[in-house]
Amino acid sequence: AMQAFDLGPHLALVGVRENAASGAFPRNAVNGDDARQRGIEAQLQWRPDTDTLLLASASYLDTDSDDRLDRYSSAAPSNIAHVLVSRRFAGTWDASASVHLQGSYWASGLSDPQDGYTRVDTRLARQLAMGRGNAEVALTVQNLFDEGYTEYRRNVVAGRRAWLTFSYTFAP
């Protein structure tokens, strides 16, 4: 049976087991593994003035499992941290930068082991009064320094991504 509690969870995990007797569906789902997860997360937010936001968060996760059917003990990163700085200036401009750090892990299933990485993202936006509403034009760059990292498969490398957005809000 699956049980979960807010404090001290102990889960009976569903895994897969080969079934040689069946040709069409070679796997059966079974409750055959246990994992105990313990962790902590924290967030700090500070606004030194009305136009500035500083945000930092971090989490730690420890998973204890015999890993009889899958890699539950390494299926999620043990450490994740994030820092965000956001600033409004000249009344109509917003700029932000964030740094994301993630530890290594090896997700369950048919994934590949993933190395830890650090990624820097930026965003610059301008608000405009337009007609009977308000518009925003924004440029976002994810992975600013083009540090290749993978998310699930080693041959799928995430590089720098950039996009320009336009939004319009009609005033009532």
Side-chain angles (χ1 to χ4, degrees):
M2 185 167 287
Q3 299 176 0
F5 304 97
D6 287 339
L7 296 173
H10 189 260
L11 305 173
L13 300 173
V14 176
V16 293
R17 182 173 287 153
E18 295 297 327
N19 181 5
S22 174
F25 300 99
R27 293 177 171 225
N28 291 335
V30 295
N31 286 334
D33 222 333
D34 289 316
R36 181 175 187 87
Q37 293 185 316
R38 293 174 296 271
I40 187 168
E41 60 183 19
Q43 183 180 75
L44 176 65
Q45 181 176 326
W46 181 43
R47 288 193 170 272
D49 57 56
T50 57
D51 293 329
T52 306
L53 170 67
L54 303 170
L55 179 75
S57 62
S59 67
Y60 171 78
L61 176 67
D62 176 53
T63 303
D64 183 26
S65 173
D66 291 335
D67 292 345
R68 290 186 299 265
L69 297 174
D70 211 333
R71 296 175 297 276
Y72 300 111
S73 60
S74 64
S78 294
N79 301 293
I80 295 177
H82 187 85
V83 176
L84 169 74
V85 177
S86 180
R87 175 90 177 141
R88 173 163 278 203
F89 55 97
T92 59
W93 287 89
D94 290 310
S96 63
S98 65
V99 178
H100 178 80
L101 296 91
Q102 180 171 296
S104 62
Y105 70 101
W106 192 350
S108 297
L110 301 175
S111 71
D112 295 327
Q114 304 299 304
D115 295 329
Y117 65 88
T118 301
R119 186 183 83 210
V120 176
D121 302 335
T122 59
R123 181 175 188 268
L124 180 64
R126 173 96 198 283
Q127 287 72 43
L128 306 161
M130 202 177 238
R132 295 185 182 190
N134 297 304
E136 180 186 78
V137 177
L139 173 65
T140 302
V141 179
Q142 186 180 57
N143 195 7
L144 179 66
F145 300 113
D146 202 21
E147 298 292 328
Y149 64 94
T150 59
E151 297 175 327
Y152 199 71
R153 290 282 197 195
R154 285 206 179 270
N155 61 345
V156 180
V157 178
R160 181 184 304 123
R161 303 171 199 166
W163 56 93
L164 185 65
T165 59
F166 176 82
S167 62
Y168 186 81
T169 305
F170 292 94

